[in-house]
């Protein structure tokens, strides 16, 4: 997956239609499937997009999502 860095895109003059707000991070694989994390006052929303279909869940408290990703990271390092 390729991460999108919104702040970097903004600094280097990316076209406005290609820029993401600073509270969004997106990962896209070569087939065009995407994982988007959006932060707002309620927490973090997770959106998965594939084949034109989209599913969004949340909001998750930032601490809970961080803890879940930490556990997942420990699993992948142990494997």
């Amino acid at each position: 997956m390729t991460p999108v860095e919104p702040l970097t895109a903004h600094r280097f003059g990316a076209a406005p239609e290609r820029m993401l707000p600073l509270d969004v991070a997106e990962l896209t694989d070569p087939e065009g499937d995407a994982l988007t994390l959006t932060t707002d006052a309620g927490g973090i929303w997770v959106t998965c997009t594939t084949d034109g279909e989209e599913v969004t869940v949340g909001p998750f408290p930032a601490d809970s999502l961080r803890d879940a990703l930490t556990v997942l990271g420990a699993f992948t390092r142990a494997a």
Side-chain angles (χ1 to χ4, degrees), residues 74-79:
F75 267 145
T76 59
R77 283 189 297 276

Side-chain angles (χ1 to χ4, degrees), residues 30-75:
E31 290 81 34
D33 301 328
L35 173 68
T36 307
L37 303 173
T38 306
T39 303
D40 66 13
I44 299 174
W45 299 84
V46 179
T47 302
C48 297
T49 307
T50 186
D51 296 328
E53 299 292 324
E54 183 175 287
V55 175
T56 300
V57 295
F60 296 100
D63 291 344
S64 296
L65 188 56
R66 183 198 63 237
D67 293 347
L69 292 172
T70 300
V71 169
L72 182 62
F75 267 145

